[in-house]
Amino acid sequence: MTVREVLRAHTGTLDARAEHLSADAAGEGGHTSSAAPAATAAAGRAAQELGLRRAQFELAVHLGLIAVVGAPGGGRPRVHEEEIARLREQPGFPDGLAERVRTVGTAEGAGLLDIAPARFTRLARAGCVSPVTFYLNRYRAVVWLYLADELAAFAAREPELLAGRTPPGIRAMLESGADWRARNWRSQRIDRLLNRTPDPWARSAVQASALDPVQLAEVVDDPYERAYLVRVRPEPVFGRPGSMAAREAMGELTLADDPDEILWRRVNLTLELDRAREDRPAPRPGDDGGVRAAPAVRTECAAVGALAAKGFLARLGRRVRGAG
């Protein structure tokens, strides 16, 4: 699919430093030479030059369509002028880029697929289409939004689901009360964070973000490791929702809420945590910044356990995909 094909994981940060002065300042009037840092633009100006609304711009960054860099000395991320020029030179600009981040709700999505809104909702609840973001309406209810590009791809891939009787498997899921919208949103959000997160502890933190404190403590019994996971957890590039209600909704939606999903996240966290511990230990009070040597070998039981967990993960993955 268009968006999923182009998840660009940019993890480098801007290294902007001026070169040293080339002459002494001892009265000889020597020339001063400095290399200008790579020019960047603030998010607001970048969005304007790319013909995007702010929400569209932030979604494009989340999807990996626009690369951002850290601002020198901290602050909000910025965009290289070269990245803006690259995007402006793409065929179909600006409409093409805006179309790739166009989102629709249930009614408009149903219109795109030429089906009734009730059928669209059933397909979404069954996991056939996945929301990419959400907002809260005036009643503080979650309203899911979907990428128009992904809906078009779904219609081309699964035309039989748009007409006729609902397949028995999907009908049974819906009759049991299944609703995969939040779960699929969580899964895609975690995958996109992992795509731009190479550090093993930060990757563990991404997996840990889907578990509540009780579940997390059962997987990570070391309080210093849990504290470190909180410290290194990557956040969305432009932070959390502004309103208290939106932050509360985000906090609830990011947590796995089905036993099957919770087990999936626990296994993923366990595997990522193994890699992180091998890379370096979590810091302890009194550490001077040095890294203690990681264990050189793993026990046979641990290795067998990891292999078994990977096998379980593959089986569970097939089960989840089959259900969708």
Side-chain angles (χ1 to χ4, degrees), residues 218-289:
E218 290 180 358
V219 179
V220 189
D221 57 3
D222 186 327
Y224 298 115
E225 289 186 338
R226 293 200 301 273
Y228 192 46
L229 290 175
V230 172
R231 275 171 44 196
V232 301
R233 178 181 301 167
E235 296 291 349
V237 174
F238 290 95
R240 298 181 179 278
S243 72
M244 180 63 70
R247 287 198 298 271
E248 290 175 354
M250 175 70 82
E252 293 176 1
L253 289 172
T254 54
L255 296 179
D257 59 4
D258 179 86
D260 204 35
E261 182 189 5
I262 291 170
L263 181 58
W264 169 270
R265 290 301 162 199
R266 286 174 63 120
V267 171
N268 275 275
L269 174 57
T270 299
L271 296 176
E272 291 286 0
L273 205 56
D274 279 348
R275 301 184 188 104
R277 288 164 175 161
E278 290 177 351
D279 181 74
R280 67 184 186 277
R284 292 288 202 263
D287 283 356
D288 59 2

Side-chain angles (χ1 to χ4, degrees), residues 164-178:
R165 291 179 59 82
T166 302
I170 293 179
R171 191 162 60 247
M173 286 177 58
L174 296 174
E175 289 173 354
S176 71

